C-alpha cells in the first residue's frame, strides 16, 4: 500500500489537522508526474506549502511537549498532597490512571513524529525524482531547524518514572509488589539457595523501544545515572566492551558449543575510554553467567591496560602496594593478586588480544534493593573490529602505537567515520533482558507474562553480544554460527498491542498468546474530549482489534473486525458448501486422534555436553508464492468443472434419451465441482491471511467427486447397454 493510504489509516483523529498534508503536496507534483513543464512558479508554491506543513507539525509537537510537561507537574503536585492520606486508595487510582494517559500521549507523539518525518522525506524524494529541481539538501537543513523528529524523551521518562514510583504502593493492581518478607529479611533471601534465577533475552524493533520503556515504567522505576561531564541525569549511558580472543577464536568456539568452563575475558567501561580510571576487567564463565554471578572482576586504569595485556606487572605491583597502604587484610590481597595474575597468565598462554568491541546504550529498570525483577534494554548496539595484525592473512592495522583499543571509535555513535561495512556492524534491533529471582513454587508476575505474550518481544534464547559480534564480523573465519542469525532477516510486520493498564477480556490464540478482544479503549485526559470512546485508537499501548504495522500504520491484510467485507461473507457461504462433504471423515479423524498411542519410543540418552535445543518461535511469514499456489489449485478445479459442464451440455443437447439422462447427471457433478473448488479457494485464502496452522489438506472432497464421476460413467454405460427402446426414454 502507498504511504498516503497508510498515513490516512494511522492518523490519530484528535490530531488530524496537525499532520502533514501529504495529498495536497502530491497534487502540487501531479503536473510534473504527467511530464508537463514544472515551472519556477510551481516550484515556489510547492516549497511554500512544504515549509508551511513543516512549521505546522513542529509547532504542534512543541505544544504537545509543553502540555505533557505541565500535566506531569500538575499530577506530581497532586501526588505530593495525596501522600499525606494513604487511605485514599480511589484517589490514588485516579491519579495513576491519568499518569497512564500521559505515558500513552508520549507514545502517540513519538508515532506522530515518526509518521510526519517519513512523509516529509518521501514527498521530497518524489519531488526530486519528477522535477528538474533538487530540494533535498536544502530541505534537510530546514528539517534540522525544526527537530520534532529528534526529540530526546529521557527527561520526560525520568519524570514519568518518578510519578509511577510515588503511586506504586497505591493505585491499580498493575504495579509489581513483591512480598513484604523480601524487604524484611533481605539477607536471608540472598543466602537462600532455594531461589532460582531465570534469565530471558529478547529482540525488540527500534520503533517499539519507547512504548516498551513506558510500559515497563508502569511497574519498575528506571535507574538514573549522573553524567558528571554534562552535569545532568542520564537513563541510558553509553557502555563499551572490548573482548579478547586469539587467532583461532577459541573463546568464541567454546561459547558457541556451550562447553563447560568456557571463559570470556573482556574490558568494560562507561562513557569515554581515554583517561578512564574505572575500566572493569572481567572473566566470565558460562556457569557463572547462567547463575547471574560475576566474581572474577577487578578495576584498572586506561594507562595500565596496554602494559597488562603485554605481560607487564606494573599494574599488579601498584595495586598490591595500594591495598597494603589501605590496610587490607593479607587474605584479600592474596586473593586479589592471584585473580589478576591468573587472568594475565591466561591471556599470555592463549595469545589473546582485543578482537571485538561492542557499543550500546543501556536503560535499566529495577526497584532499589529488590533483585527479584531486573530488566535492561540495550539500544544503538554496534559491533566494531578491534583486531590488529592478529590473523596472518590480514595486514590491517586498527590499533596504532601498541594501543589496546582503536582511537577512531569512542562514543561517537553512529560512527560515521567508519565507512567500511567490514569494520562495523550496526545491529538492526534493540535487545531486552529480563532477570527474575523466584522461589521454587513462585510464578512470574502476571504483567511480565502479558508483556512476553504481547508480541512486541521476540525471544532469543542464550543470545550473546560477544558470540553475535564475532559471527557477523568474522563470518569467514568461524566454523560454527549461532542459531539466532536466521532470525535477523525476520521483520515483525505487525506492531503488537501491549497489555492495557486496565484488565481486558482476552482469549488464547493457537500459539497460546493472548489476543485482545476489546476493540477500543477509553482515551481520557484533562479536557472533555477524552470522555468519549475512540474505536480507531492508534496507540499500541491500548487495546485494538485491528493489526498495526510498521510506523503505527494499520495492516490491511486483515479486514476490520467491526465491518466484515462482502468477500468474507461470500467465502463463508461457499465454505459451508465445500466443507459439508468432509464432516464425517473429520469426525472419524478426531475420534481416532483422541485415542492414546500404545507405542512409546525409548528415551534418548544424550552424550555429555549436548543439550536438547529449545524451540524458537518466530513470526510466520507468508510468501507470495503461497497465494499463487492457492490460485493455481483454484484454476485447476475450475478447468475440471468447465470441462465436465461442456461435456454434459453437449451430451444433453445432441444425445438420445440415454444421453439426456447422463447429461443431467454429469451436469450435477460439474456444478458440485465448481462450487467445491470455489469454496476451497476462499477457505484456504482465509487460513493464509490469518496465518493459521491449518488444516490445508482435503481428503473427502476430491474422493467424493471421484466416486461421483465413477458412478456417472457407470450409469451411462448401464443405460446404454440395457435400454431396449431408447425412444421411450425421451423427455
Amino acid at each position: 500500500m502507498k504511504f498516503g493510504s497508510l498515513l490516512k489509516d494511522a492518523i490519530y483523529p484528535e490530531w488530524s489537522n496537525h499532520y502533514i498534508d501529504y495529498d495536497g503536496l502530491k497534487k502540487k507534483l501531479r503536473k510534473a508526474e504527467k511530464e508537463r513543464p514544472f515551472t519556477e512558479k510551481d516550484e515556489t508554491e510547492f516549497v511554500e506549502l512544504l515549509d508551511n506543513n513543516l512549521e505546522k507539525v513542529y509547532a504542534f509537537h512543541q505544544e504537545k511537549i509543553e502540555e505533557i510537561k505541565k500535566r506531569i507537574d500538575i499530577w506530581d503536585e497532586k501526588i505530593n498532597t495525596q501522600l499525606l492520606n494513604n487511605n485514599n486508595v480511589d484517589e490514588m487510582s485516579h491519579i495513576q490512571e491519568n499518569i497512564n494517559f500521559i505515558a500513552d500521549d508520549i507514545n502517540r507523539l513519538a508515532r506522530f513524529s515518526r509518521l510526519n518525518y517519513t512523509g516529509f522525506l518521501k514527498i521530497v524524494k518524489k519531488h526530486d525524482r519528477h522535477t528538474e529541481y533538487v530540494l533535498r539538501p536544502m530541505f534537510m537543513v530546514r528539517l534540522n531547524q525544526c527537530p520534532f523528529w529528534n526529540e530526546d524523551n529521557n527527561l520526560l521518562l525520568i519524570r514519568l518514572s518518578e510519578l509511577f514510583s510515588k503511586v506504586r504502593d497505591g493505585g491499580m493492581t498493575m504495579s509489581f509488589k513483591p512480598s513484604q518478607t523480601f524487604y524484611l529479611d533481605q539477607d536471608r533471601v540472598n543466602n537462600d539457595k532455594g531461589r532460582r534465577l531465570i534469565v530471558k533475552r529478547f529482540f525488540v524493533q527500534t520503533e517499539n523501544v519507547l512504548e516498551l520503556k513506558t510500559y515497563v515504567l508502569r511497574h519498575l522505576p528506571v535507574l538514573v545515572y549522573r553524567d558528571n561531564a554534562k552535569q545532568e541525569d542520564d537513563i541510558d549511558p553509553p557502555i563499551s566492551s572490548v573482548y579478547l580472543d586469539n587467532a583461532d577464536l577459541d573463546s568464541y568456539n567454546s561459547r558457541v558449543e556451550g562447553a563447560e568452563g568456557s571463559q570470556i575475558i573482556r574490558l568494560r567501561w562507561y562513557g569515554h575510554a581515554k583517561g578512564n580510571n574505572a575500566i572493569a576487567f572481567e572473566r566470565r564463565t558460562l556457569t557463572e553467567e547462567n547463575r547471574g554471578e560475576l566474581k572474577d572482576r577487578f578495576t584498572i586504569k586506561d594507562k595500565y591496560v596496554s602494559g597488562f595485556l603485554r605481560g607487564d606487572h606494573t599494574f599488579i605491583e601498584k595495586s598490591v602496594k595500594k591495598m597494603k597502604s589501605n590496610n587490607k587484610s593479607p587474605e584479600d590481597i592474596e586473593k586479589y593478586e592471584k585473580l589478576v595474575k591468573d587472568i594475565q597468565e591466561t591471556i599470555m598462554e592463549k595469545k589473546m588480544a582485543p578482537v571485538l568491541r561492542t557499543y550500546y546504550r543501556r536503560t535499566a529498570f529495577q526497584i532499589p534493593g529488590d533483585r527479584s525483577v531486573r530488566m535492561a534494554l540495550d539500544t544503538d548496539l554496534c559491533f566494531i573490529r578491534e583486531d590488529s595484525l592478529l590473523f596472518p592473512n590480514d595486514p590491517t592495522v586498527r590499533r596504532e602505537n601498541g594501543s589496546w583499543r582503536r582511537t577512531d571509535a569512542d562514543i561517537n555513535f553512529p560512527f560515521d567515520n567508519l565507512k567500511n561495512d567490514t569494520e562495523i556492524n550496526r545491529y538492526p534491533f534493540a535487545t531486552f533482558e529480563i532477570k527474575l529471582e523466584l522461589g521454587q513454587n513462585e510464578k512470574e508476575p502476571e504483567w511480565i507474562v502479558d508483556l512476553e505474550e504481547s508480541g512486541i518481544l521476540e525471544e532469543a534464547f542464550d543470545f550473546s553480544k560477544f558470540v553475535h559480534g564475532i559471527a557477523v564480523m568474522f563470518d569467514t573465519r568461524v566454523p560454527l554460527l549461532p542459531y539466532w542469525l536466521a532470525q535477523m532477516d525476520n521483520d515483525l510486520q505487525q506492531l503488537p498491542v501491549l497489555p492495557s493498564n486496565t484488565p481486558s477480556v482476552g482469549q488464547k490464540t493457537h500459539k497460546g498468546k493472548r489476543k485482545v478482544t476489546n476493540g477500543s479503549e477509553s482515551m481520557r485526559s484533562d479536557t472533555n474530549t477524552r470522555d468519549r470512546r475512540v474505536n480507531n485508537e492508534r496507540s499500541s499501548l491500548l487495546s485494538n482489534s485491528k493489526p498495526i504495522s510498521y510506523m503505527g500504520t494499520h495492516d490491511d491484510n486483515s479486514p476490520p473486525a467491526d465491518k466484515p467485507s462482502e468477500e468474507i461473507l461470500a467465502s463463508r457461504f461457499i465454505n459451508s458448501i465445500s466443507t459439508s462433504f468432509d464432516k464425517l471423515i473429520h469426525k472419524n479423524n478426531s475420534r481416532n486422534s483422541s485415542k492414546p498411542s500404545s507405542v512409546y519410543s525409548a528415551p534418548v540418552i544424550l552424550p555429555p555436553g549436548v543439550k536438547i535445543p529449545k524451540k524458537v518461535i518466530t513470526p510466520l511469514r507468508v510468501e507470495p508464492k503461497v497465494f499463487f499456489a492457492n490460485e493455481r489449485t483454484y484454476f485447476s478445479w475450475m478447468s475440471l468443472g468447465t470441462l465436465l459442464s461442456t461435456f454434459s451440455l453437449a451430451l444433453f443437447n445432441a444425445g438420445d434419451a440415454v444421453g439426456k439422462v447422463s447429461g443431467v447427471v454429469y451436469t450435477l457433478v460439474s456444478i458440485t465441482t465448481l462450487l467445491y473448488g470455489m469454496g476451497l479457494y476462499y477457505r484456504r485464502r482465509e487460513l493464509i491471511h490469518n496465518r493459521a496452522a491449518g488444516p490445508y489438506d482435503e481428503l473427502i472432497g476430491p474422493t467424493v467427486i471421484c466416486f461421483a464421476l465413477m458412478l456417472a460413467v457407470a450409469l451411462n454405460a448401464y443405460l446404454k447397454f440395457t435400454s431396449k427402446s431408447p425412444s421411450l426414454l425421451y423427455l
Side-chain angles (χ1 to χ4, degrees), residues 574 577 634 636-645 667-681 705:
I574 301 174
I577 300 176
Y634 172 60
S636 298
W637 282 110
M638 292 299 101
S639 299
L640 176 60
T642 304
L643 180 63
L644 286 175
S645 61
T667 300
L668 295 176
V669 176
S670 64
I671 293 176
T672 303
T673 302
L674 291 171
L675 291 176
Y676 173 77
M678 187 179 299
L680 185 65
Y681 167 73
I705 293 177

Side-chain angles (χ1 to χ4, degrees), residues 648-665:
S648 62
L649 290 176
L651 192 62
F652 184 84
N653 293 328
D656 53 6
V658 175
K660 290 182 178 294
V661 174
S662 301
V664 171
V665 176

